[in-house]
Amino acid sequence: MTTTLDRATTPAAPDSPARLSLTPGGVRPGRLDGAWWPRSRDLLLELPALAADIDEQWGRITRITVNPARWPVIPSRIPVTGHTVHAGWFTTEQDEHTIAVFSYAPRRLNLLVVPPETDAVGAARLMAEAASPANTMAASDLLAVETGGGAPGPRSRSDVLPSAVAPSGGAGEADRRADVARSRAASWPVPG
């Protein structure tokens, strides 16, 4: 589907910054590089805030790809501050709960897209786990565990979230991560 954009009728971006959590230390091939919690499923409205945050750290975003299963409209071009981001989609090649972000650098970030309707505490947990260097799960697997859908295979929750259950930094590390997740959740505005 092709959508033509008229800059005069493009919705304004939200005033608040993107809710974004990135893996410390940079991109890791084959794994999630963090998470993004948009306020809606409107790429025209949500992408400018994400681009503003990522442009500063990773270089200007030139292109994104998503899975159309979770985005009702995927425009081919999205105007953001100072430039245009090209958008594309893949149905089988890309997890439906991710967004791939490409920059001039050339860099690619694979981000978990936390569903907009997720409560703040659940979103904070998902974002912390997706950005954890110890995470080995795919986006859909993380969401399945969080929503009670279970994990793939016969594993239990403690088997699939090793960084939260058996932290590498000792017993106090799990409490510290929980405190960080709660403080992040408290600072995010509730979606309207």
Side-chain angles (χ1 to χ4, degrees):
M1 168 182 4
T2 303
T3 304
T4 305
L5 300 176
D6 178 3
R7 289 183 192 260
T9 61
T10 301
D15 292 333
S16 51
R19 299 179 292 188
L20 177 68
S21 179
L22 296 175
T23 302
V27 177
R28 299 173 304 146
R31 298 286 173 226
L32 292 171
D33 300 307
W36 173 46
W37 185 26
R39 291 170 177 80
S40 72
R41 293 282 180 188
D42 184 345
L43 281 172
L44 285 172
L45 187 62
E46 299 294 335
L47 194 65
L50 178 64
D53 279 3
I54 292 178
D55 283 358
E56 292 176 15
Q57 299 175 35
W58 296 98
R60 179 179 273 188
I61 293 177
T62 58
R63 185 169 54 101
I64 63 154
T65 61
V66 296
N67 186 310
R70 299 292 174 186
W71 299 96
V73 176
I74 304 170
S76 60
R77 292 184 193 104
I78 302 168
V80 298
T81 305
H83 66 287
T84 300
V85 174
H86 296 271
W89 54 270
F90 295 100
T91 54
T92 57
E93 298 89 350
Q94 186 168 343
D95 187 310
E96 67 183 70
H97 299 288
T98 62
I99 183 171
V101 179
F102 302 85
S103 74
Y104 276 122
R107 292 187 176 140
R108 172 184 174 155
L109 294 173
N110 292 312
L111 302 174
L112 164 71
V113 177
V114 177
E117 62 276 2
T118 306
D119 66 90
V121 173
R125 264 194 309 267
L126 283 167
M127 293 178 78
E129 192 62 34
S132 170
N135 177 45
T136 59
M137 295 179 67
S140 288
D141 297 339
L142 276 172
L143 283 169
V145 169
E146 179 64 29
T147 59
R155 299 179 291 184
S156 69
R157 184 178 178 107
S158 63
D159 291 335
V160 296
L161 294 175
S163 63
V165 178
S168 59
E173 182 69 14
D175 291 333
R176 185 191 68 75
R177 286 184 184 197
D179 289 341
V180 168
R182 280 190 286 278
S183 68
R184 284 182 182 170
S187 69
W188 289 328
V190 177

